[in-house]
Amino acid sequence: MQHVAVVGTHEELLAGARAGDLVCFERLIEPQIRIGYRLAAAMLNDADQAEDAVQEATLRAWRSIRQLRSVGQLRPWYLTIIANRCRSMRGARWWSVIRVADTRSGIANPADDADQRHDLSRALGRLSPDERAAVFLHFYEGLTSREVGDALGVTATGARSRIYRALQRLRVDLAEEEL
């Protein structure tokens, strides 16, 4: 196994990783691990399981790095591997509750109203798993519709539709809870 220079463009790092250079792979994947962990933590609702899922998904990504078409696809490709790992760890019911404060920083904001967070968590919990994943990736992680679609295995239009349907359902559910 040859080592290419770890200082270089993302394309050079990808080429090195495809050639079997673990250091290049680590440099590519390291910026994605944090978002991957937050996704796993939201999906599994358990920090230890999330760590396990990210470790296993990262190993799977290393083993299949040659399948990655371009550096621009890295984030959705990696998140897809993590989401699939989480689904297999949880079975069919992979997302029961979202803790809104935990998805950003892991620290609750004291200014947040606990009742509103509870209502939002309950409303999010009533969404389908694919709708929750689309909402989480788009609004909490800032992914584009195309990136959300890539991560969930649908087109950008399909991702926008899921996000739209989820928001419509959330509006109705939250309005009903206010009554």
Side-chain angles (χ1 to χ4, degrees), residues 10-11 14 18 28 32 68-79 143-144 146-148 150-151:
H10 287 106
E11 288 80 14
L14 179 56
R18 285 179 176 155
L28 273 176
Q32 308 307 320
L68 179 61
R69 293 185 198 131
S70 71
V71 172
Q73 295 274 301
L74 178 65
R75 179 182 286 185
W77 175 78
Y78 182 62
L79 293 177
L143 271 63
T144 66
R146 182 177 180 187
E147 291 172 320
V148 171
D150 289 345

Side-chain angles (χ1 to χ4, degrees), residues 110-131:
D112 286 345
D113 178 28
D115 290 336
Q116 287 178 347
R117 284 195 323 267
H118 180 70
D119 291 347
L120 179 59
S121 292
R122 195 172 22 207
L124 286 166
R126 287 191 288 260
L127 295 176
S128 75
D130 288 332
E131 289 171 333

Side-chain angles (χ1 to χ4, degrees), residues 68-136:
L68 179 61
R69 293 185 198 131
S70 71
V71 172
Q73 295 274 301
L74 178 65
R75 179 182 286 185
W77 175 78
Y78 182 62
L79 293 177
T80 299
I81 295 170
I82 289 175
N84 288 339
R85 182 64 200 134
C86 290
R87 285 183 190 113
S88 67
M89 288 175 75
R90 286 287 305 259
R93 191 173 163 264
W94 59 266
W95 194 329
S96 58
V97 177
I98 295 178
R99 292 185 185 158
V100 174
D102 291 346
T103 59
R104 283 277 184 194
S105 65
I107 301 170
N109 182 350
D112 286 345
D113 178 28
D115 290 336
Q116 287 178 347
R117 284 195 323 267
H118 180 70
D119 291 347
L120 179 59
S121 292
R122 195 172 22 207
L124 286 166
R126 287 191 288 260
L127 295 176
S128 75
D130 288 332
E131 289 171 333
R132 283 191 300 264
V135 167
F136 173 78

Side-chain angles (χ1 to χ4, degrees), residues 5 8 12 20 53 65 70 74 108 160 162 165 169-170:
E12 291 170 337
I65 190 67
S70 71
L74 178 65
R160 282 191 296 275
R162 285 183 187 181
R165 283 192 311 269
R169 288 188 56 201
L170 285 173

